[in-house]
Amino acid sequence: MSQSKYDVVVVGAGAGGGVIAGVLAEAGKRVLLLERGASKTFEQIGRDHLRNQRISQYGNNAGPDGPENPRVVVDWKTGNALTVLPHEGGYNNNAAIVGGGTRVYGGQAWRFHPLDFRMASTYGVPEGSSLTDWPISYEDLEPFYEQAEHELGVAGRRAEMTHLPAYKKDYPMPPLPVNAQGTVLRKGLSALGWQTLSVPLAVNSEPRDGRPACIRCQHCVGFACPVDAKNGTQNTLLPRAIASGNCELVTGVLAERVETRGGRATGVTYVDAATGERITVEAEVVVVAGGAVETARLLLNSGLGNDHVGRHLQGHYYPGAAGLFPEVVWDGLGPGVTTATCQFIHGNDGIVGGGMLADEFVTLPITFWKRHTPPDLPRWGRAAKEWMRDNFRYVSDVKGPVQEIPSPEARVTVDPQVRDAWGLPVVRLSGATHPETVRTATFMHERAKEWLRAAGATEIWGGPPTLGLSGGQHQAGTVRMGDDPATSAADRHCRLHGHDNLYLGDGSVHVTNGPFNPFLTIMALAYRTADHIARSW
Amino acid sequence: MTHFPLLTERQQATLRAAVDRVIPPDDGQPGGVAAGAYDYILGQLGRDLAGSAAGYRLFLDALDAAAAATGKDAGSASQVHFSTLPPAAQDALLARFEKAADWRVFFRQFVEHAQEGFYTSPAGFELIGWKVRG
């Protein structure tokens, strides 16, 4: 780290932070980009089927790992608090690595729908929920969705996105080919007359940007790509930022506090994780993009923001079902997710919102064993072995995100006692989503079963969802945007209310989280925010 | 330097036999031990499952004690060990532990560890027909 004063300091080199750092560095601003994780190669991230974003049984391949930064999780039913490690249930981890979640995600690149931005006006406000409208619309974000799709590299077909207003430009690459499971499932959608589309993926379906096309290796979701065909900020925006000569990336550091004076951010104090050294840098503009959970923590530990900071935590309930088919549905061709329907994202009688359903990324054997076997299957012995031998290649599942109805009690606070290895109060997670979310998720669980039946599944299993706290890899909502500080924490330009040079660059600003994977919306907002920062310089 | 093995030889034999009942060898297809699931558990007991090592020792000793009791019931003169019982008798003992109030939680974890070792092994992939590409 070569200076003490920068134009912009960005905390977090993930989906949003990577975009903002890249855009502003190319616009000539001197950017310091702070990242708690490391820059890891494919080999370093590895291919351990028990240590990845899907099954983090013994560790997180994309960080964080180890005991330095635990979280406290409060059981909403009993009130009991448990301290958990990053790979353990309840921690609600995403990733801590250069590229953030985009380093290892499956890359489903969805735009939110126009109605997702006005859920309260459309459906009313369920009692006890904090459902409200965004201060901006799909139309405000549309040019930035297009920019993200083209600068990141998304494979899809605009003609199929019939649930959205017409795109101005088609995707830069066509969809990846449909595999065996997709073919079988499409027959079901056709029989039902449900809208059918290819899942837009941030994966090269043809060589692009100096990197090859996907080699169909089946290790998409949860791992790094062996040939760098999967597109994240670490292989697009971040190299551009570095190449501009205006961006310094510092890894292995944790932001401790956003420094302010008289309502203006003046810089950031951060800790070198290896040495414990504290460093304070000054900046004209500060952007916090550590993910909804850690961003809320940083603001709370800095004493910044109003009572909405940390509240309305959302992720995605993922109802679905698995089905046994009379024909082989596994053909060894990844990524696996080819086919989706937006038939039920809105306009469902008596249901607030809805969800998207899609087929699944190719499931690794141990993931299949742990998550996709029938509930009454013996867990050991000859019967278990024979079932796996006879049925693995004949089972597919469909699932998808539900638009959650936020609760103000689902929240991030900081623990009064527990500290991380550097003395900072850790995240405390408490509450649960609003029960209306579970109603919608139960409705979508039934649609998943209907789809599998129509596609020819002879046996279907998988239970309905239950109430709990949601966050995890799709975490959002904790510094939500709005025009009125009485009901929001940040303004329509993603600035923390009351601080005209302190911006948020991750999913914390989402008012609602759509029935879609959120990263493309995070990136579109980040492009819009970077544009605003550059224009108002 | 003195090395303290995680498991005694008797406990190792019991674990080996138990893993081969969780994933039994049959029809020429490898069972859990041949696939590497026993080595997997042993390795994990020295690493991520170090906290479970004491539990494993108790579990394996209890399995062996239960086996010895069946030998006594049958009027056998020589000592019966879990690892020397015929497979059907081993299965019957494991089924008892699966339901026993004191053991059912640990039993469930044990079989899950064995399956982790199996379904991350080449033999596990071959059994179900999953091939690695790229």
Side-chain angles (χ1 to χ4, degrees):
Chain A
M1 198 270 313
S2 59
Q3 309 173 62
S4 63
K5 193 165 166 81
Y6 293 82
D7 291 327
V8 187
V9 173
V10 180
V11 176
V19 165
I20 293 176
V23 170
L24 293 178
E26 286 190 331
K29 302 295 171 228
R30 284 167 305 123
V31 178
L32 176 66
L33 178 57
L34 303 174
E35 168 54 45
R36 94 162 44 206
S39 186
K40 285 191 182 173
T41 62
F42 164 75
E43 286 78 16
Q44 287 167 329
I45 291 168
R47 257 195 189 168
D48 189 332
H49 291 190
L50 294 165
R51 283 175 186 77
N52 57 79
Q53 273 206 324
R54 274 293 167 100
I55 301 267
S56 60
Q57 189 79 14
Y58 301 110
N60 287 322
N61 61 350
D65 231 354
E68 292 91 9
N69 188 19
R71 288 179 180 168
V72 175
V73 179
V74 180
D75 183 318
W76 71 269
K77 274 194 288 255
T78 62
N80 291 337
L82 205 60
T83 303
V84 296
L85 295 179
H87 68 279
E88 294 178 329
Y91 188 92
N92 280 277
N93 191 44
N94 186 9
I97 193 170
V98 171
T102 73
R103 185 72 178 100
V104 289
Y105 63 178
Q108 292 199 35
W110 296 93
R111 299 185 180 191
F112 282 0
H113 181 273
L115 290 180
D116 298 341
F117 297 89
R118 34 185 216 269
M119 287 290 289
S121 300
T122 305
Y123 294 102
V125 178
E127 170 110 29
S129 77
S130 49
L131 188 66
T132 190
D133 292 348
W134 292 58
I136 62 172
S137 67
Y138 173 87
E139 286 72 30
D140 291 324
L141 219 43
E142 202 268 341
F144 303 104
Y145 274 131
E146 182 183 286
Q147 186 175 12
E149 284 156 354
H150 286 263
E151 295 199 8
L152 182 71
V154 175
R157 191 170 286 127
R158 70 171 165 175
E160 294 177 359
M161 311 300 279
T162 54
H163 57 291
L164 289 174
Y167 286 31
K168 295 189 178 61
K169 280 203 296 203
D170 207 342
Y171 288 97
M173 294 177 283
L176 281 147
V178 180
N179 58 5
Q181 112 187 323
T183 305
V184 168
L185 290 167
R186 279 168 187 246
K187 283 192 228 140
L189 290 178
S190 176
L192 289 164
W194 290 359
Q195 186 227 28
T196 302
L197 53 105
S198 307
V199 175
L201 286 179
V203 172
N204 285 353
S205 58
E206 50 193 33
R208 187 175 189 268
D209 197 28
R211 289 177 286 105
C214 169
I215 59 169
R216 327 294 300 276
C217 76
Q218 306 175 86
H219 287 77
C220 220
V221 67
F223 300 91
C225 177
V227 299
D228 218 16
K230 186 161 68 178
N231 302 319
T233 55
Q234 81 288 339
N235 59 5
T236 55
L237 276 298
L238 287 173
R240 282 167 51 185
I242 307 294
S244 73
N246 294 323
C247 180
E248 261 182 71
L249 169 63
V250 180
T251 57
V253 296
L254 289 82
E256 179 178 54
R257 192 169 50 251
V258 174
E259 305 292 353
T260 57
R261 192 165 50 243
R264 273 190 74 79
T266 57
V268 172
T269 297
Y270 65 92
V271 185
D272 182 317
T275 65
E277 186 195 354
R278 257 84 176 163
I279 299 145
T280 299
V281 288
E282 290 178 29
E284 295 293 324
V285 168
V286 173
V287 180
V288 182
V293 175
E294 289 291 325
T295 281
R297 177 193 183 203
L298 177 59
L299 293 178
L300 291 168
N301 280 340
S302 305
L304 295 174
N306 63 26
D307 182 65
H308 290 283
V309 173
R311 291 190 185 271
H312 325 293
L313 175 64
Q314 297 159 67
H316 277 125
Y317 266 60
Y318 251 85
L324 177 66
F325 288 87
E327 65 221 281
V328 171
V329 291
W330 174 90
D331 56 7
L333 294 172
V337 59
T338 64
T339 300
T341 183
C342 295
Q343 186 74 21
F344 302 102
I345 57 173
H346 287 288
N348 303 303
D349 238 8
I351 295 289
V352 180
M356 179 267 286
L357 287 174
D359 57 357
E360 173 65 292
F361 288 97
V362 175
T363 308
L364 299 175
I366 187 58
T367 309
F368 184 93
W369 168 257
K370 283 179 182 287
R371 303 243 177 104
H372 297 294
T373 46
D376 56 354
L377 182 71
R379 302 304 294 173
W380 64 284
R382 168 160 283 120
K385 186 185 184 196
E386 282 174 355
W387 191 94
M388 288 291 284
R389 182 191 64 207
D390 296 340
N391 296 298
F392 169 79
R393 294 176 306 134
Y394 295 79
V395 173
S396 187
D397 68 296
V398 297
K399 54 160 77 74
V402 159
Q403 175 139 219
E404 295 188 355
I405 306 307
S407 163
E409 299 311 315
R411 63 192 298 209
V412 174
T413 52
V414 288
D415 198 81
Q417 267 132 19
V418 180
R419 299 282 184 272
D420 67 10
W422 302 276
L424 303 171
V426 303
V427 163
R428 186 178 176 90
L429 295 166
S430 58
T433 190
H434 189 273
E436 198 63 36
T437 303
V438 182
R439 275 192 69 232
T440 307
T442 304
F443 171 81
M444 291 310 299
H445 167 65
E446 292 301 321
R447 305 287 73 72
K449 294 198 296 194
E450 203 177 337
W451 181 0
L452 291 168
R453 250 189 316 269
T458 53
E459 278 170 57
I460 294 168
W461 59 90
T466 55
L467 189 64
L469 185 66
S470 192
Q473 290 158 10
H474 293 184
Q475 55 192 252
T478 54
V479 192
R480 69 186 194 174
M481 48 168 20
D483 290 329
D484 185 355
T487 52
S488 60
D491 70 17
R492 57 170 50 223
H493 299 293
C494 300
R495 288 178 300 202
L496 192 69
H497 280 308
H499 299 77
D500 61 9
N501 67 337
L502 174 52
Y503 291 82
L504 291 314
D506 54 32
S508 63
V509 295
H510 290 194
V511 179
T512 50
N513 212 20
F516 298 110
N517 306 56
F519 91 81
L520 195 73
T521 301
I522 291 173
M523 288 185 69
L525 283 165
Y527 273 108
R528 181 174 172 273
T529 298
D531 183 65
H532 179 84
I533 293 171
R535 282 164 188 275
S536 35
W537 201 268
Chain B
M1 186 153 70
T2 316
H3 292 273
F4 294 97
L6 282 163
L7 304 177
T8 64
E9 275 187 37
R10 171 73 46 75
Q11 289 163 346
Q12 289 173 38
T14 304
L15 180 58
R16 219 178 267 117
V19 168
D20 255 3
R21 296 323 301 157
V22 176
I23 307 112
D26 64 347
D27 304 330
Q29 286 182 333
V33 176
Y38 165 78
D39 291 327
Y40 166 81
I41 292 178
L42 216 53
Q44 283 293 72
L45 288 177
R47 279 192 308 269
D48 302 299
L49 293 176
S52 299
Y56 263 90
R57 287 191 285 266
L58 286 170
F59 171 67
L60 296 168
D61 285 348
L63 261 184
D64 225 31
T70 66
K72 272 209 170 109
D73 292 340
S76 169
S78 56
Q79 176 104 94
V80 171
H81 302 302
F82 181 84
S83 59
T84 59
L85 284 176
Q90 291 173 330
D91 285 348
L93 275 179
L94 288 170
R96 268 173 45 196
F97 275 71
E98 183 177 22
K99 295 181 191 62
D102 285 349
W103 287 111
R104 65 168 167 250
V105 172
F106 190 89
F107 182 89
R108 178 64 187 250
Q109 289 170 359
F110 157 61
V111 303
E112 198 59 23
H113 296 156
Q115 302 286 18
E116 283 170 14
F118 184 68
Y119 288 112
T120 56
S121 76
F125 300 161
E126 185 160 339
L127 174 81
I128 66 176
W130 183 81
K131 290 183 185 51
V132 190
R133 288 165 90 101

